[in-house]
Amino acid sequence: MAYDIVVPRLGWSMDEGTFAEWLKQDGDQVNAGDMLFILEGEKAAQEIESFDSGILRIPPQGPQPGDTVAVGQLLGYLVEEGEEPPFENISVGKATTKSSSDQESKPPQKDSNVSAGPAIRRLARDLNVDLTALQGTGPAGRITQEDVRAASKAPANLPATATPMGGKRSTSSPRARRIARELGLDPTTVTGTGRGGRVRERDIRAAAAQAGKTTAPATSSLASLSGKTIPITPIRRTIAERMLAGIHQAAPVTLTTKVNATNLVNLRVQFKAADLGSQTPSFTDLIVKLSAVALTEHPLLSAQWTENGIVVPERINVAFAVDTAAGLLAPVIEDVGAKTIRQIATDAQALIEAANASTLTAEQMRNGCFTVSNLGGFGVDAFTPIINLPQAAILGVGRIAKEPVVVDNQIVIQEVMALSLTFDHRIVDGAPAARFLDQLRSCIEQPSPWLMG
Amino acid sequence: MATVEVNKHLTKDTALSVFRTMQIIRQCEEQLAKSHQRGLVHGACHTYVGEEAIASSIFAHLRPEDVVFSTHRGHGHALAKGLHPRELIAELYGRKTGCSQGRGGSMHLFKPEIGMMGTSGIVGPCILHACGGGYTFKIQKKDNVAVACFGDGAVNNGAFHEGMNMAAIWNLPVILVCENNQFATEVAFSYSSGIPDVGRRAENYGIPGFEVDGNDVHEIFRVGGEAVERARGGGGPTLIECKTYRTRAHAEGMGDFTYRTREDVEEWKTQCPLKRFRAAAISDDLVTAAELDEIAAEVKALIAESHEFAEASEYPDGATAAKHVYFEGPHDPPPPAPPQGERQTTFVAGTLEALDHEMGNNPDIFVMGEGIGARGGNFTTTLGLYEKYGAERLCDTPICERGFVGLGCGAAMSGTRPLIDFMFIDFINDSFGEMINQIAKMQYMSSGRLKMPILLRGCIGIGHSAATHHSGSYHSVYAHIPGLRVVTPATPYDAKGLFTHALRCQDPVLFLEHRELMSIKGPVPAEPYEIPFGQAAIAREGNDVTVVALSLMLHHALDAAEKLANRGISVEVIDPRTVSPLDTDTILQSVGKTGRLLVVDEAFTPCSVASEIAARVADAGFDDLDAPIKTLNGVFTPTPYAPTLEKEIVPNPETVQQAIEDLLAE
Ligand SMILES: Cc1ncc(C[n+]2csc(CCOP(=O)(O)OP(=O)(O)O)c2C)c(N)n1
Ligand SMILES: [Mg+2]
């Protein structure tokens, strides 16, 4: 059996050495304990002992004196009389050692919220770089200093990079940013009261409360009034925060129009006459369905503003407002476009029941992309609904009342209904929003063809 | 103790058995040297070639319950104590089947099951550990012996002096075997010692000492037998110097002829202990050549088989790399109810109650320290116990901190539960290496087969012009070390509960009492109770800011919180109670509520518990933070003496209050 002769490790951390010379000739008999070759390690040249006996065979292509050799590299063989050494296993010159460790794979980038530490945010401010426009290359998609610097060098940013240093900069604490996210506020619009103008949690909460005051100016003075204080329930607080956000974070505009709902009323009379029980569609159900039809044509009204761009959903999920004892809830009917009116009616019925029984799950209120709020039953003509962020628009439905209407130059009595559409002007402009409303109007006026699906 | 007769002259059977051990060692070492050259041995490899007679002859007198503590050149010791060559070779190959399950390698061989208590990469401590083994046998009234094997390099180390002295004054059943191979790496003993021999040093300590031919089996067997007999019979320790020579390089792969000549080595090879034994035993008609040849052949097969076994064995699973740092047992009991009733004691009295109770229940507990015997402790930590439990369990020590901490390590390894009462942490720093290299690592190196129930207690902290050698707070330093528990109680109630837990747990504990707290009073239940480690106390609830404060600083933080409460500021105060393990969860929960964190600690800031807490919260609690994390620490300076200087360097209630206000303004 052939014994391998390999480069040993001398000392604690040697990885390679210099082959100095063989102390025996090719073909010599070697006995265990004989010195076989000389190897130079980190400290000194050393004679290397053979632990085995045999005939030394030195491969012609093996290391020459002065060659660098790696620890573990095969140098030659000790063979028995007449045995052929497997020279083909011996590489020329320096052998490759263990392959270098695998490159660490980068985690996939996250494309939702901006993920960047405080230092990066400050740098971005100093360099006037918009973090929301960056793709982070750090772990878990975090934005790194390099990303920000690279972006500041990118042409689009050039004109703005000459921000004076030392200027007053506003920072916000991580907690303030988190609370702002939860309340739907933009922390950069809030004035900080912390050291160096840092925006703190209290600033965000104060800003949110302030925003509340604009709509209800009496709030603070009320506090000193004598009277009963109704505790703020979690659901009340959520509604408050969402409503505030709908006003302060979006750019809401409301359009109103009047619709001839005579055909819709007739249709509903027929449905009722058919005695469908719980599957009888309500006006809201019908309008939900018709809204989905119009949204398919005008998808921007169902889109969402995110920091990475305007996201247009694949499926139209429509939320509808339900008044419950606990407060306003907006359960979601999924994929309205693909559902029959019968399914929509069934779904809506179940959701309303759950809402009243306080058993709606968070899941059932998630992912809406448009909301229908029907106050017609309360005798309201028209109103200005508040957007349910991050949705782009909400439709307010007024009461249906008989009015004199001019049809074919004749004054006739018709069923008339007012629609109020509040939309987010950040996402969509007035004209396209008006076109959507117009299409919805025509769908309501001639509903039957759109209810086939 | 009854005298134990030991056969000091080789019979045929013992002769063959000693020869077999020497063969196993020699052939195993040659295999390992070869495997080292081939890269199968991953780290260092110091062989015992040329010195086989020593362990083989002395250990022939030992029983499995006797304990051996060894050194970096320890393969031969492990094999002579009965380790199967498979387990030795597998350990050097880094395999799961190795005696330390791949956590040790050549210099950390553990097989406590057969009394092989470990080889060590540090020169010296094995002497102290053997004293600890001896102390265990004294406490447990067993006639076992503890053996330390070490080189000539160790005898100029303080451990040798301290160990010799402790073995002498306590008359320990210990055998100290110096294998004088004339070199410590490349430094000649003739250079590093004022006198050429080691054995005669024993006289100065008042114990028997011998200088023997370390390559002569008969001679070593005889002297070793006498020493074992003496130790078992209560006659105390023996020092045996075996003069020998290693005929291979200091470690495999190292050069050999810069400090000694080829001729010297060749000359010593002619003195090979195996050759000499063979020649003498055959000519004395003790054994036949054929019998010895048969043994050599049988051992050859054994080593070949062991090598194959080791090479075929699996490597340990990388996922288990951090296993066995601490004792792995059932989970700690839940924390007890908060103090009830009117009963008050001082901080120290709380721990004394706990100690008394545990000593009454557990005869393996003994206390060592300066003045802890009849005097009852510098801080009355053992008051009244000496009268109750006697001098062996309340053992006053000479001033040799390294020595008695090392002894405590060996005692814990071999089955007792030492409590080292060190007065001031400044003193125990002399035993830093014993704590972090030995005590902290034994459970790990032995892959969890050794337990380390040792408690080290004493005071920390600045105050009353104690000046810089009586006022250190080094808990951060020790909290850096895996394997140690570091406890910093702040109230009498916590002190008693944590102390009881420390006396029941299986890990080494550093119990650090602030000197300014030792006489404070507080509610303490009379009955025993445990407070498990790693569970912070919420000392005061609040909403605006979290203050983490430990030891004396807890009281400052509570004072400040009280003052601020009058101004409508609500401070939550958390006492971690133990800094290792550190209860980060409780702190994070609090910061989740308040958004603000101040850490107050008297110890310095750099690389501290305070900076560690700050780092962990900055990481896991990032989104909860409404302000930067602040730390308030002692000033980075030795402790000055003058009161005007001293007061400047430690936080006080006013500076804590200021720090809280500053943080609220962030
Ligand atoms: C405290 C300590 N200092 C230094 C070393 C490095 N070292 C390892 S072995 C050695 C020589 C020890 O010589 P000796 O005690 O005579 O044992 P030998 O190697 O001769 O068997 C030294 C200095 C160490 N392991 N521990
Ligand atoms: Mg030596």
Side-chain angles (χ1 to χ4, degrees):
Chain A
M1 193 192 81
Y3 290 106
D4 297 349
I5 300 169
V6 296
V7 178
R9 183 160 52 81
L10 313 175
W12 284 96
S13 51
M14 169 175 153
D15 289 325
E16 57 182 30
T18 306
F19 180 78
E21 61 175 311
W22 288 105
L23 295 173
K24 302 267 177 184
Q25 307 290 317
D26 187 38
D28 280 0
Q29 171 65 38
V30 174
N31 294 318
D34 287 351
M35 295 300 165
L36 196 52
F37 60 95
I38 295 180
L39 181 67
E40 284 176 28
E42 290 140 341
K43 284 191 190 154
Q46 220 167 285
E47 292 183 0
I48 305 302
E49 169 185 359
S50 176
F51 285 98
D52 301 300
S53 305
I55 296 159
L56 175 65
R57 295 305 315 276
I58 301 173
Q61 79 274 32
Q64 301 302 307
D67 278 359
T68 301
V69 287
V71 170
Q73 181 176 339
L74 199 52
L75 297 176
Y77 295 97
L78 292 177
V79 297
E80 281 169 25
E81 189 77 60
E83 187 186 4
E84 271 308 309
F87 279 159
E88 62 283 0
N89 292 346
I90 293 190
S91 61
V92 187
K94 187 182 163 184
T96 46
T97 38
K98 282 163 226 129
S99 66
S100 62
S101 63
D102 293 347
Q103 283 280 308
E104 257 182 47
S105 58
K106 287 215 176 87
Q109 291 179 358
K110 208 168 84 181
D111 58 1
S112 55
N113 288 336
V114 174
S115 167
I120 300 304
R121 288 176 190 270
R122 196 168 69 203
L123 181 70
R125 271 192 306 280
D126 288 349
L127 297 179
N128 207 11
V129 169
D130 177 10
L131 285 179
T132 61
L134 294 191
Q135 285 284 323
T137 63
R142 267 205 197 200
I143 295 173
T144 66
Q145 199 176 344
E146 286 67 44
D147 297 337
V148 176
R149 294 201 183 280
S152 85
K153 291 193 196 96
N157 243 309
L158 264 184
T161 46
T163 340
M165 294 300 284
K168 192 159 169 261
R169 46 166 121 88
S170 120
T171 57
S172 40
S173 75
R175 188 186 184 90
R177 287 202 296 278
R178 195 198 73 201
I179 306 283
R181 259 197 316 276
E182 288 164 11
L183 295 183
L185 264 163
D186 176 0
T188 62
T189 64
V190 174
T191 313
T193 59
R195 204 182 294 291
R198 184 186 297 120
V199 176
R200 310 181 291 177
E201 176 186 7
R202 65 179 66 176
D203 303 324
I204 300 289
R205 295 217 183 267
Q210 188 62 35
K213 268 183 220 158
T214 10
T215 46
T219 328
S220 62
S221 53
L222 265 181
S224 61
L225 281 179
S226 61
K228 178 172 153 241
T229 304
I230 299 164
I232 297 167
T233 59
I235 180 165
R236 194 71 248 150
R237 195 175 286 284
T238 310
I239 293 170
E241 287 169 359
R242 301 202 64 134
M243 291 300 138
L244 271 180
I247 288 173
H248 290 281
Q249 277 210 282
V253 176
T254 306
L255 307 177
T256 54
T257 187
K258 283 198 166 185
V259 186
N260 184 342
T262 309
N263 288 338
L264 194 69
V265 172
N266 285 338
L267 197 60
R268 164 105 168 119
V269 170
Q270 293 166 36
F271 278 131
K272 277 175 100 169
D275 204 7
L276 300 170
S278 69
Q279 289 177 356
T280 313
S282 65
F283 282 115
T284 305
D285 298 340
L286 293 166
I287 292 169
V288 162
K289 175 69 185 174
L290 296 169
S291 298
V293 172
L295 285 169
T296 317
E297 298 287 310
H298 302 274
L300 271 188
L301 275 292
S302 64
Q304 294 187 358
W305 179 273
T306 74
E307 294 190 336
N308 290 323
I310 293 169
V311 177
V312 181
E314 279 177 355
R315 305 189 309 168
I316 308 287
N317 306 324
V318 178
F320 63 105
V322 181
D323 175 48
T324 73
L328 172 69
L329 292 173
V332 175
I333 303 173
E334 288 194 344
D335 207 1
V336 173
K339 284 194 172 130
T340 62
I341 188 69
R342 179 192 296 258
Q343 275 173 305
I344 291 167
T346 314
D347 285 7
Q349 192 58 38
L351 289 167
I352 290 166
E353 275 162 24
N356 285 322
S358 303
T359 56
L360 270 185
T361 63
E363 204 53 48
Q364 288 172 306
M365 292 190 280
R366 211 171 277 156
N367 292 332
C369 40
F370 184 81
T371 300
V372 173
S373 173
N374 187 352
L375 291 181
F378 302 94
V380 169
D381 281 332
F383 61 104
T384 54
I386 298 176
I387 295 171
N388 186 6
L389 279 185
Q391 297 170 18
I394 178 166
L395 182 74
V397 182
R399 68 169 166 166
I400 301 171
K402 290 194 163 57
E403 280 186 18
V405 175
V406 178
V407 179
D408 299 337
N409 285 331
Q410 299 269 327
I411 294 185
V412 288
I413 304 291
Q414 295 278 298
E415 302 280 357
V416 175
M417 171 172 78
L419 295 181
S420 316
L421 176 76
T422 302
F423 66 94
D424 187 347
H425 212 321
R426 289 181 304 170
I427 299 178
V428 62
D429 293 333
R435 283 196 281 276
F436 162 79
L437 191 57
D438 191 48
Q439 155 127 42
L440 180 58
R441 190 181 48 75
S442 75
C443 289
I444 291 173
E445 291 184 348
Q446 307 291 336
S448 303
W450 309 111
L451 298 176
M452 287 190 26
Chain B
M1 219 170 266
T3 358
V4 182
E5 276 284 349
V6 169
N7 185 2
K8 280 142 296 200
H9 299 284
L10 288 166
T11 59
K12 175 168 180 147
D13 282 352
T14 40
L16 288 176
S17 158
V18 170
F19 181 75
R20 185 168 185 276
T21 306
M22 291 201 294
Q23 275 291 340
I24 289 176
I25 298 173
R26 172 65 57 90
Q27 294 196 38
C28 196
E29 293 288 35
E30 283 174 349
Q31 175 62 54
L32 288 169
K34 176 172 168 174
S35 297
H36 184 274
Q37 196 179 75
R38 289 172 179 254
L40 271 171
V41 174
H42 305 280
C45 179
H46 307 85
T47 73
Y48 197 56
V49 173
E51 307 182 23
E52 293 91 342
I54 304 166
S56 306
S57 308
I58 295 180
F59 293 9
H61 297 290
L62 299 185
R63 315 162 178 157
E65 313 82 72
D66 296 325
V67 290
V68 168
F69 300 85
S70 151
T71 184
H72 58 284
R73 197 173 303 289
H75 306 168
H77 306 140
L79 293 169
K81 192 69 174 67
L83 184 69
H84 195 289
R86 280 177 165 199
E87 288 189 60
L88 173 67
I89 298 175
E91 186 58 32
L92 271 87
Y93 294 2
R95 309 307 165 104
K96 208 159 79 175
T97 51
C99 62
S100 307
Q101 300 175 11
R103 279 170 165 68
S106 164
M107 287 189 279
H108 314 280
L109 304 169
F110 286 83
K111 188 77 182 177
E113 296 82 354
I114 56 165
M116 184 62 211
M117 308 307 280
T119 62
S120 175
I122 305 293
V123 168
C126 63
I127 299 171
L128 306 174
H129 298 166
C131 291
Y135 208 87
T136 286
F137 300 143
K138 196 175 153 92
I139 290 281
Q140 296 182 336
K141 315 233 176 307
K142 293 180 178 164
D143 68 352
N144 300 338
V145 303
V147 180
C149 294
F150 49 91
D152 47 288
V155 307
N156 300 318
N157 183 286
F160 176 79
H161 164 62
E162 296 185 22
M164 289 283 283
N165 190 51
M166 291 190 300
I169 64 170
W170 295 321
N171 202 37
L172 300 178
V174 162
I175 302 171
L176 304 179
V177 181
C178 172
E179 300 171 326
N180 183 353
N181 60 16
Q182 305 178 36
F183 293 96
T185 315
E186 308 191 354
V187 180
F189 190 65
S190 59
Y191 167 84
S192 46
S193 173
I195 54 170
D197 306 295
V198 175
R200 66 196 60 190
R201 293 191 189 187
E203 197 187 334
N204 296 336
Y205 295 92
I207 65 175
F210 299 87
E211 293 160 4
V212 303
D213 178 345
N215 289 18
D216 180 344
V217 169
H218 290 273
E219 178 76 347
I220 305 166
F221 187 82
R222 183 180 60 76
V223 174
E226 285 167 6
V228 170
E229 196 172 81
R230 188 161 32 247
R232 290 204 204 289
T238 306
L239 170 68
I240 306 173
E241 176 194 13
C242 300
K243 292 181 185 297
T244 184
Y245 202 84
R246 59 168 160 76
T247 48
R248 295 193 63 79
H250 171 72
E252 289 309 297
M254 278 178 74
D256 215 11
F257 302 117
T258 48
Y259 62 98
R260 60 185 190 178
T261 64
R262 277 173 210 277
E263 291 69 37
D264 285 346
V265 177
E266 289 312 315
E267 171 56 30
W268 271 96
K269 280 185 181 165
T270 66
Q271 297 298 310
C272 168
L274 284 83
K275 280 190 199 154
R276 274 178 61 183
F277 175 76
R278 181 186 171 98
I282 292 172
S283 80
D284 291 350
D285 283 336
L286 192 57
V287 298
T288 65
E291 285 166 331
L292 298 181
D293 290 345
E294 193 185 325
I295 287 174
E298 178 239 318
V299 168
K300 189 173 180 202
L302 172 71
I303 299 301
E305 178 272 331
S306 295
H307 159 76
E308 278 163 30
F309 166 84
E311 214 183 351
S313 290
E314 274 179 45
Y315 281 101
D317 177 1
T320 66
K323 223 173 156 219
H324 301 308
V325 177
Y326 294 99
F327 176 73
E328 289 175 3
H331 278 295
D332 285 333
Q340 289 165 349
E342 292 302 293
R343 189 175 181 274
Q344 299 246 331
T345 73
T346 65
F347 192 101
V348 170
T351 63
L352 182 55
E353 278 178 7
L355 179 57
D356 189 7
H357 182 268
E358 295 305 307
M359 285 190 82
N361 278 345
N362 182 352
D364 285 332
I365 298 178
F366 68 92
V367 188
M368 271 195 173
E370 292 153 22
I372 57 85
R375 184 181 161 207
N378 194 41
F379 297 112
T380 66
T381 48
T382 54
L383 204 62
L385 299 183
Y386 181 85
E387 292 73 20
K388 216 165 158 181
Y389 301 110
E392 276 179 13
R393 295 184 65 197
L394 273 299
C395 178
D396 272 325
T397 62
I399 304 163
C400 54
E401 276 71 13
R402 180 187 179 191
F404 59 76
V405 170
L407 180 149
C409 177
M413 291 167 78
S414 46
T416 44
R417 179 181 285 273
L419 162 55
I420 306 294
D421 189 327
F422 55 72
M423 260 192 285
F424 288 88
I425 195 165
D426 310 83
F427 306 162
I428 208 74
N429 284 343
D430 271 16
S431 67
F432 193 63
E434 300 308 317
M435 283 195 270
I436 71 167
N437 274 326
Q438 312 298 332
I439 289 174
K441 295 177 180 170
M442 285 300 174
Q443 297 193 82
Y444 186 80
M445 293 191 292
S446 69
S447 58
R449 288 171 301 149
L450 282 175
K451 297 185 183 68
M452 282 306 287
I454 177 170
L455 168 55
L456 302 114
R457 70 100 59 104
C459 72
I460 57 170
I462 296 172
H464 289 96
S465 285
T468 205
H469 284 158
H470 295 75
S471 62
S473 282
Y474 299 107
H475 47 272
S476 293
V477 176
Y478 291 100
H480 185 70
I481 307 301
L484 296 180
R485 305 289 194 193
V486 184
V487 181
T488 51
T491 67
Y493 171 75
D494 285 353
K496 180 173 174 180
L498 291 165
F499 204 74
T500 302
H501 188 67
L503 283 168
R504 294 179 185 174
C505 82
Q506 301 294 355
D507 293 320
V509 180
L510 209 55
F511 192 87
L512 305 176
E513 304 147 287
H514 200 292
R515 212 188 58 249
E516 302 288 309
L517 289 179
M518 296 188 90
S519 51
I520 65 161
K521 279 196 156 183
V524 174
E527 62 278 4
Y529 57 92
E530 280 183 65
I531 297 179
F533 300 154
Q535 301 198 9
I538 299 174
R540 180 188 177 109
E541 288 192 30
N543 295 312
D544 297 335
V545 56
T546 302
V547 177
V548 174
L550 55 95
S551 196
L552 177 63
M553 295 302 121
L554 173 71
H555 301 271
H556 293 352
L558 288 172
D559 278 2
E562 187 61 32
K563 295 224 172 65
L564 289 166
N566 297 331
R567 295 179 17 207
I569 296 169
S570 161
V571 182
E572 179 142 304
V573 182
I574 293 180
D575 174 11
R577 295 201 277 216
T578 62
V579 294
S580 179
L582 182 63
D583 178 1
T584 319
D585 287 349
T586 298
I587 300 172
L588 281 170
Q589 266 163 31
S590 177
V591 173
K593 180 167 61 165
T594 65
R596 272 146 212 274
L597 174 63
L598 170 70
V599 189
V600 188
D601 184 12
E602 184 178 313
F604 316 122
T605 315
C607 309
S608 67
V609 168
S611 51
E612 173 67 17
I613 292 173
R616 293 195 195 177
V617 172
D619 177 0
F622 185 72
D623 284 331
D624 285 331
L625 287 169
D626 205 19
I629 301 168
K630 295 288 176 182
T631 55
L632 179 64
N633 285 85
V635 176
F636 193 51
T637 170
T639 312
Y641 168 71
T644 51
L645 299 174
E646 189 194 66
K647 77 176 178 44
E648 288 301 313
I649 68 161
V650 265
N652 59 49
E654 289 70 43
T655 56
V656 174
Q657 185 179 335
Q658 188 59 51
I660 297 172
E661 289 179 40
D662 289 351
L663 175 54
L664 286 165
E666 280 290 340

